[in-house]
Amino acid sequence: MERISWNQYFMAQSHLLALRSTCTRLMVGATIVRDKRIIAGGYNGSVSGDVHCVDEGCYVIDGHCVRTVHAEANALLQCAKFGVPTENADVYVTHFPCLQCTKQLIQSGIRTVFYAEDYKNHPYAIQLFKEAGVRTEKVELDYLALDMNYKEKTSLITELLQLVDDKNSSDVAALKEKAQELFHLTR
């Protein structure tokens, strides 16, 4: 049996952390790793004890939700809170870091940023990483799939099976379009 690679393993951890996100705009997870050991993890969510975006909506100013603490910052703050050094550690993030997180990662001594998806990769963030000698590497999660739409898929299949029994063709066309969107199928 072939074992999952370290990069895939740590990226999967970040995707699992993202499932705890309370921001409705983008679910992000971050895992900080040193010597192949997880030292911290974070996801984007509200300040402890405050309301969450999932409860009251995002608090958007100038196109950004200001209610949430980003996943990278939460992971770094967890290290600071418990006295865990981040010098020469790596971070695995589900999305390319924003400009503010880029600066925080550099200042904390992170040596490599592994990310799964491009997300508004700011040119200045890319420049700062290069100037600071922080390596960035895209690592898409391909070893296993985290199905974020399993409930919708189950519901869709149940509806399709019912329609097949009913043989109602106009409803089948609408469900086919829904399935194409959900499964990212080309038309």
Side-chain angles (χ1 to χ4, degrees):
M1 178 176 105
E2 185 179 334
R3 292 177 8 166
I4 187 172
S5 73
W6 286 112
N7 281 347
Q8 290 293 300
Y9 172 75
F10 294 127
M11 193 58 74
Q13 294 293 324
S14 293
H15 277 77
L16 286 172
L17 282 163
L19 294 175
R20 291 280 308 152
S21 172
T22 60
C23 184
T24 56
R25 292 167 50 104
L26 184 67
M27 297 171 73
V28 180
T31 304
I32 300 177
V33 175
R34 188 185 321 98
D35 300 324
K36 295 187 174 54
R37 299 289 180 262
I38 296 171
I39 60 173
Y43 52 88
N44 56 331
S46 298
V47 173
S48 297
D50 197 13
V51 298
H52 297 280
C53 298
V54 294
D55 298 325
E56 294 192 12
C58 290
Y59 183 10
V60 179
I61 297 175
D62 296 329
H64 300 283
C65 180
V66 296
R67 176 170 282 146
T68 61
V69 178
H70 289 190
E72 302 93 325
N74 269 325
L76 291 170
L77 289 167
Q78 186 179 60
C79 287
K81 185 175 184 176
F82 295 105
V84 178
T86 54
E87 189 70 32
N88 293 318
D90 301 322
V91 67
Y92 290 78
V93 190
T94 56
H95 296 77
F96 191 87
C98 73
L99 187 53
Q100 293 304 315
C101 288
T102 294
K103 293 186 274 187
Q104 293 167 17
L105 292 167
I106 290 168
Q107 287 298 98
S108 66
I110 295 294
R111 68 177 177 191
T112 308
V113 174
F114 297 96
Y115 64 99
E117 295 181 39
D118 292 303
Y119 183 72
K120 301 178 182 179
N121 302 23
H122 196 285
Y124 186 50
I126 295 167
Q127 177 186 335
L128 285 173
F129 279 140
K130 283 182 185 175
E131 289 173 357
V134 175
R135 190 169 67 90
T136 59
E137 182 180 330
K138 189 170 186 177
V139 176
E140 295 179 20
L141 184 60
D142 62 9
Y143 186 84
L144 53 106
L146 293 175
D147 192 347
M148 306 295 282
N149 297 316
Y150 72 94
K151 289 180 183 177
E152 293 89 349
K153 290 176 183 177
T154 301
S155 176
L156 177 68
I157 296 302
T158 302
E159 287 180 61
L160 282 171
L161 291 174
Q162 182 62 43
L163 286 175
V164 169
D165 289 341
D166 296 344
K167 296 181 174 91
N168 187 340
S169 64
S170 64
D171 290 337
V172 172
L175 283 174
K176 182 178 179 184
E177 185 175 328
K178 186 176 176 182
Q180 288 171 327
E181 289 175 18
L182 188 60
F183 290 95
H184 305 289
L185 303 172
T186 57
R187 295 181 183 178

